[in-house]
mmCIF file of all heavy atoms in Angstrom:
data_model
loop_
_atom_site.group_PDB
_atom_site.id
_atom_site.type_symbol
_atom_site.label_atom_id
_atom_site.label_comp_id
_atom_site.label_asym_id
_atom_site.label_seq_id
_atom_site.Cartn_x
_atom_site.Cartn_y
_atom_site.Cartn_z
ATOM 1 N N GLY A 1 0.791 -1.150 0.037
ATOM 2 C CA GLY A 1 -0.063 0.036 -0.027
ATOM 3 C C GLY A 1 0.841 1.251 -0.045
ATOM 4 O O GLY A 1 1.994 1.099 0.326
ATOM 5 N N GLN A 2 0.186 2.349 -0.427
ATOM 6 C CA GLN A 2 0.904 3.708 -0.594
ATOM 7 C C GLN A 2 -0.146 4.709 0.022
ATOM 8 O O GLN A 2 -1.226 4.508 -0.114
ATOM 9 C CB GLN A 2 1.466 3.908 -1.871
ATOM 10 C CG GLN A 2 2.340 3.055 -2.480
ATOM 11 C CD GLN A 2 2.760 3.380 -3.973
ATOM 12 O OE1 GLN A 2 2.493 4.481 -4.401
ATOM 13 N NE2 GLN A 2 3.284 2.398 -4.651
ATOM 14 N N ALA A 3 0.504 5.816 0.564
ATOM 15 C CA ALA A 3 -0.412 6.958 0.791
ATOM 16 C C ALA A 3 0.431 8.110 0.722
ATOM 17 O O ALA A 3 1.672 8.158 0.853
ATOM 18 C CB ALA A 3 -0.913 6.815 2.216
ATOM 19 N N SER A 4 -0.114 9.352 0.412
ATOM 20 C CA SER A 4 0.518 10.486 0.294
ATOM 21 C C SER A 4 -0.473 11.560 0.428
ATOM 22 O O SER A 4 -1.725 11.562 0.407
ATOM 23 C CB SER A 4 1.193 10.686 -1.136
ATOM 24 O OG SER A 4 1.900 11.837 -1.070
ATOM 25 N N VAL A 5 -0.060 12.934 0.701
ATOM 26 C CA VAL A 5 -0.794 14.048 0.785
ATOM 27 C C VAL A 5 -0.438 15.031 -0.248
ATOM 28 O O VAL A 5 0.720 15.316 -0.458
ATOM 29 C CB VAL A 5 -0.709 14.832 2.199
ATOM 30 C CG1 VAL A 5 -1.571 16.077 2.195
ATOM 31 C CG2 VAL A 5 -1.079 13.834 3.257
ATOM 32 N N PHE A 6 -1.374 15.543 -1.056
ATOM 33 C CA PHE A 6 -1.035 16.512 -2.156
ATOM 34 C C PHE A 6 -1.908 17.644 -1.693
ATOM 35 O O PHE A 6 -3.206 17.658 -1.602
ATOM 36 C CB PHE A 6 -1.568 15.920 -3.487
ATOM 37 C CG PHE A 6 -0.789 14.732 -3.875
ATOM 38 C CD1 PHE A 6 -1.591 13.572 -3.917
ATOM 39 C CD2 PHE A 6 0.460 14.720 -4.269
ATOM 40 C CE1 PHE A 6 -0.816 12.256 -4.354
ATOM 41 C CE2 PHE A 6 1.092 13.519 -4.592
ATOM 42 C CZ PHE A 6 0.358 12.388 -4.525
ATOM 43 N N ALA A 7 -1.116 18.819 -1.486
ATOM 44 C CA ALA A 7 -1.737 19.994 -0.867
ATOM 45 C C ALA A 7 -1.527 21.347 -1.707
ATOM 46 O O ALA A 7 -0.655 22.064 -1.388
ATOM 47 C CB ALA A 7 -1.342 20.185 0.425
ATOM 48 N N PRO A 8 -2.166 21.470 -2.869
ATOM 49 C CA PRO A 8 -1.857 22.655 -3.667
ATOM 50 C C PRO A 8 -2.258 23.917 -3.016
ATOM 51 O O PRO A 8 -1.531 24.925 -3.510
ATOM 52 C CB PRO A 8 -2.786 22.449 -4.921
ATOM 53 C CG PRO A 8 -3.832 21.496 -4.477
ATOM 54 C CD PRO A 8 -3.238 20.581 -3.374
ATOM 55 N N THR A 9 -2.907 24.043 -1.974
ATOM 56 C CA THR A 9 -3.213 25.316 -1.381
ATOM 57 C C THR A 9 -2.106 25.732 -0.363
ATOM 58 O O THR A 9 -2.074 26.768 0.147
ATOM 59 C CB THR A 9 -4.454 25.199 -0.548
ATOM 60 O OG1 THR A 9 -4.443 24.141 0.276
ATOM 61 C CG2 THR A 9 -5.657 25.016 -1.513
ATOM 62 N N MET A 10 -1.243 24.765 -0.022
ATOM 63 C CA MET A 10 -0.182 24.984 1.022
ATOM 64 C C MET A 10 1.135 25.520 0.468
ATOM 65 O O MET A 10 1.959 26.028 1.152
ATOM 66 C CB MET A 10 0.026 23.846 1.790
ATOM 67 C CG MET A 10 -1.078 23.363 2.679
ATOM 68 S SD MET A 10 -0.868 21.950 3.540
ATOM 69 C CE MET A 10 -2.584 21.504 4.103
ATOM 70 N N ALA A 11 1.294 25.441 -0.868
ATOM 71 C CA ALA A 11 2.505 25.874 -1.561
ATOM 72 C C ALA A 11 2.178 26.120 -3.006
ATOM 73 O O ALA A 11 1.602 25.122 -3.609
ATOM 74 C CB ALA A 11 3.739 25.048 -1.288
ATOM 75 N N ASP A 12 2.650 27.195 -3.607
ATOM 76 C CA ASP A 12 2.351 27.267 -5.036
ATOM 77 C C ASP A 12 2.816 26.341 -5.885
ATOM 78 O O ASP A 12 2.202 25.895 -6.926
ATOM 79 C CB ASP A 12 2.850 28.695 -5.556
ATOM 80 C CG ASP A 12 1.995 29.898 -4.857
ATOM 81 O OD1 ASP A 12 0.834 29.568 -4.429
ATOM 82 O OD2 ASP A 12 2.489 30.918 -4.762
ATOM 83 N N ASP A 13 4.057 25.721 -5.671
ATOM 84 C CA ASP A 13 4.647 24.703 -6.418
ATOM 85 C C ASP A 13 4.514 23.335 -5.861
ATOM 86 O O ASP A 13 5.324 22.454 -6.066
ATOM 87 C CB ASP A 13 6.256 25.073 -6.676
ATOM 88 C CG ASP A 13 6.887 25.197 -5.333
ATOM 89 O OD1 ASP A 13 6.287 25.172 -4.262
ATOM 90 O OD2 ASP A 13 8.099 25.362 -5.364
ATOM 91 N N ALA A 14 3.479 23.049 -5.054
ATOM 92 C CA ALA A 14 3.330 21.842 -4.319
ATOM 93 C C ALA A 14 3.183 20.756 -5.436
ATOM 94 O O ALA A 14 2.440 20.989 -6.474
ATOM 95 C CB ALA A 14 2.151 21.950 -3.471
ATOM 96 N N PRO A 15 3.682 19.556 -5.371
ATOM 97 C CA PRO A 15 3.465 18.530 -6.279
ATOM 98 C C PRO A 15 2.117 17.830 -6.239
ATOM 99 O O PRO A 15 1.324 18.037 -5.114
ATOM 100 C CB PRO A 15 4.535 17.441 -5.949
ATOM 101 C CG PRO A 15 4.876 17.716 -4.400
ATOM 102 C CD PRO A 15 4.520 19.246 -4.185
ATOM 103 N N CYS A 16 1.785 17.282 -7.249
ATOM 104 C CA CYS A 16 0.461 16.495 -7.341
ATOM 105 C C CYS A 16 0.666 15.077 -7.778
ATOM 106 O O CYS A 16 1.833 14.606 -7.937
ATOM 107 C CB CYS A 16 -0.553 17.260 -8.160
ATOM 108 S SG CYS A 16 -0.082 17.168 -10.020
ATOM 109 N N TYR A 17 -0.444 14.322 -7.884
ATOM 110 C CA TYR A 17 -0.346 12.869 -8.216
ATOM 111 C C TYR A 17 0.322 12.761 -9.542
ATOM 112 O O TYR A 17 1.069 11.841 -9.791
ATOM 113 C CB TYR A 17 -1.806 12.256 -8.223
ATOM 114 C CG TYR A 17 -1.812 10.759 -8.491
ATOM 115 C CD1 TYR A 17 -1.490 9.911 -7.544
ATOM 116 C CD2 TYR A 17 -2.203 10.414 -9.667
ATOM 117 C CE1 TYR A 17 -1.550 8.554 -7.813
ATOM 118 C CE2 TYR A 17 -2.292 8.919 -9.999
ATOM 119 C CZ TYR A 17 -1.929 8.115 -9.056
ATOM 120 O OH TYR A 17 -1.957 6.789 -9.408
ATOM 121 N N ARG A 18 0.012 13.719 -10.495
ATOM 122 C CA ARG A 18 0.648 13.557 -11.810
ATOM 123 C C ARG A 18 2.165 13.742 -11.808
ATOM 124 O O ARG A 18 2.764 13.262 -12.636
ATOM 125 C CB ARG A 18 -0.094 14.548 -12.708
ATOM 126 C CG ARG A 18 -1.330 14.077 -13.250
ATOM 127 C CD ARG A 18 -1.932 15.083 -14.430
ATOM 128 N NE ARG A 18 -3.192 14.737 -14.748
ATOM 129 C CZ ARG A 18 -3.564 13.805 -15.743
ATOM 130 N NH1 ARG A 18 -2.579 13.201 -16.388
ATOM 131 N NH2 ARG A 18 -4.788 13.506 -16.035
ATOM 132 N N CYS A 19 2.568 14.498 -10.736
ATOM 133 C CA CYS A 19 4.037 14.727 -10.579
ATOM 134 C C CYS A 19 4.740 13.341 -10.217
ATOM 135 O O CYS A 19 5.806 13.045 -10.631
ATOM 136 C CB CYS A 19 4.403 15.661 -9.413
ATOM 137 S SG CYS A 19 3.785 17.297 -9.952
ATOM 138 N N LEU A 20 4.046 12.596 -9.355
ATOM 139 C CA LEU A 20 4.486 11.268 -8.952
ATOM 140 C C LEU A 20 4.325 10.306 -10.021
ATOM 141 O O LEU A 20 5.299 9.429 -10.202
ATOM 142 C CB LEU A 20 3.712 10.857 -7.650
ATOM 143 C CG LEU A 20 4.202 9.695 -6.973
ATOM 144 C CD1 LEU A 20 5.479 9.743 -6.394
ATOM 145 C CD2 LEU A 20 3.093 9.349 -5.710
ATOM 146 N N TYR A 21 3.213 10.166 -10.687
ATOM 147 C CA TYR A 21 2.926 9.207 -11.715
ATOM 148 C C TYR A 21 2.456 10.064 -12.914
ATOM 149 O O TYR A 21 1.242 10.189 -13.140
ATOM 150 C CB TYR A 21 1.897 8.237 -11.276
ATOM 151 C CG TYR A 21 2.250 7.450 -10.188
ATOM 152 C CD1 TYR A 21 1.743 7.612 -8.913
ATOM 153 C CD2 TYR A 21 3.298 6.420 -10.208
ATOM 154 C CE1 TYR A 21 2.090 6.819 -7.801
ATOM 155 C CE2 TYR A 21 3.719 5.686 -9.174
ATOM 156 C CZ TYR A 21 3.116 5.779 -7.864
ATOM 157 O OH TYR A 21 3.544 5.162 -6.887
ATOM 158 N N PRO A 22 3.275 10.478 -13.732
ATOM 159 C CA PRO A 22 2.807 11.323 -15.028
ATOM 160 C C PRO A 22 1.959 10.652 -15.961
ATOM 161 O O PRO A 22 1.034 11.270 -16.502
ATOM 162 C CB PRO A 22 4.194 11.652 -15.687
ATOM 163 C CG PRO A 22 5.196 11.413 -14.681
ATOM 164 C CD PRO A 22 4.746 10.352 -13.709
ATOM 165 N N GLU A 23 1.957 9.301 -16.067
ATOM 166 C CA GLU A 23 1.274 8.635 -17.014
ATOM 167 C C GLU A 23 0.601 7.429 -16.294
ATOM 168 O O GLU A 23 1.261 6.616 -15.648
ATOM 169 C CB GLU A 23 2.112 8.184 -18.222
ATOM 170 C CG GLU A 23 2.600 9.213 -19.086
ATOM 171 C CD GLU A 23 1.638 10.069 -19.817
ATOM 172 O OE1 GLU A 23 0.530 9.363 -20.189
ATOM 173 O OE2 GLU A 23 1.764 11.185 -20.015
ATOM 174 N N PRO A 24 -0.813 7.108 -16.578
ATOM 175 C CA PRO A 24 -1.320 5.921 -16.071
ATOM 176 C C PRO A 24 -0.762 4.749 -16.738
ATOM 177 O O PRO A 24 -0.314 4.687 -17.922
ATOM 178 C CB PRO A 24 -2.778 6.121 -16.317
ATOM 179 C CG PRO A 24 -2.837 7.028 -17.487
ATOM 180 C CD PRO A 24 -1.657 7.946 -17.377
ATOM 181 N N PRO A 25 -0.705 3.506 -16.108
ATOM 182 C CA PRO A 25 -0.269 2.328 -16.788
ATOM 183 C C PRO A 25 -1.264 1.924 -17.866
ATOM 184 O O PRO A 25 -2.438 2.278 -17.955
ATOM 185 C CB PRO A 25 -0.356 1.345 -15.669
ATOM 186 C CG PRO A 25 -1.262 1.832 -14.764
ATOM 187 C CD PRO A 25 -1.224 3.211 -14.752
ATOM 188 N N PRO A 26 -0.760 1.193 -18.890
ATOM 189 C CA PRO A 26 -1.632 0.802 -19.867
ATOM 190 C C PRO A 26 -2.763 -0.051 -19.377
ATOM 191 O O PRO A 26 -2.629 -0.743 -18.377
ATOM 192 C CB PRO A 26 -0.752 -0.047 -20.824
ATOM 193 C CG PRO A 26 0.668 0.252 -20.374
ATOM 194 C CD PRO A 26 0.539 0.799 -19.050
ATOM 195 N N PRO A 27 -4.050 0.013 -19.948
ATOM 196 C CA PRO A 27 -5.236 -0.687 -19.604
ATOM 197 C C PRO A 27 -4.929 -2.276 -19.552
ATOM 198 O O PRO A 27 -4.273 -2.751 -20.374
ATOM 199 C CB PRO A 27 -6.160 -0.479 -20.539
ATOM 200 C CG PRO A 27 -5.829 0.876 -21.293
ATOM 201 C CD PRO A 27 -4.275 0.778 -21.193
ATOM 202 N N GLY A 28 -5.327 -2.851 -18.341
ATOM 203 C CA GLY A 28 -5.080 -4.174 -18.188
ATOM 204 C C GLY A 28 -3.841 -4.620 -17.508
ATOM 205 O O GLY A 28 -3.569 -5.699 -17.259
ATOM 206 N N MET A 29 -2.911 -3.712 -17.317
ATOM 207 C CA MET A 29 -1.511 -3.908 -16.796
ATOM 208 C C MET A 29 -1.652 -4.192 -15.371
ATOM 209 O O MET A 29 -0.976 -5.134 -14.782
ATOM 210 C CB MET A 29 -0.452 -2.922 -17.155
ATOM 211 C CG MET A 29 0.881 -3.141 -16.603
ATOM 212 S SD MET A 29 1.908 -1.931 -17.039
ATOM 213 C CE MET A 29 3.393 -2.356 -16.249
ATOM 214 N N VAL A 30 -2.478 -3.369 -14.614
ATOM 215 C CA VAL A 30 -2.603 -3.588 -13.210
ATOM 216 C C VAL A 30 -4.002 -4.210 -12.791
ATOM 217 O O VAL A 30 -4.988 -3.462 -13.100
ATOM 218 C CB VAL A 30 -2.408 -2.319 -12.411
ATOM 219 C CG1 VAL A 30 -2.526 -2.442 -10.916
ATOM 220 C CG2 VAL A 30 -1.017 -1.729 -12.800
#
């Protein structure tokens, strides 16, 4: 399992989920 907090309101340059995983895996891979 994994967990994270993405908080765009707490810093202008705060990372988001797309920063961690820019592209979704191909359909059916997971």
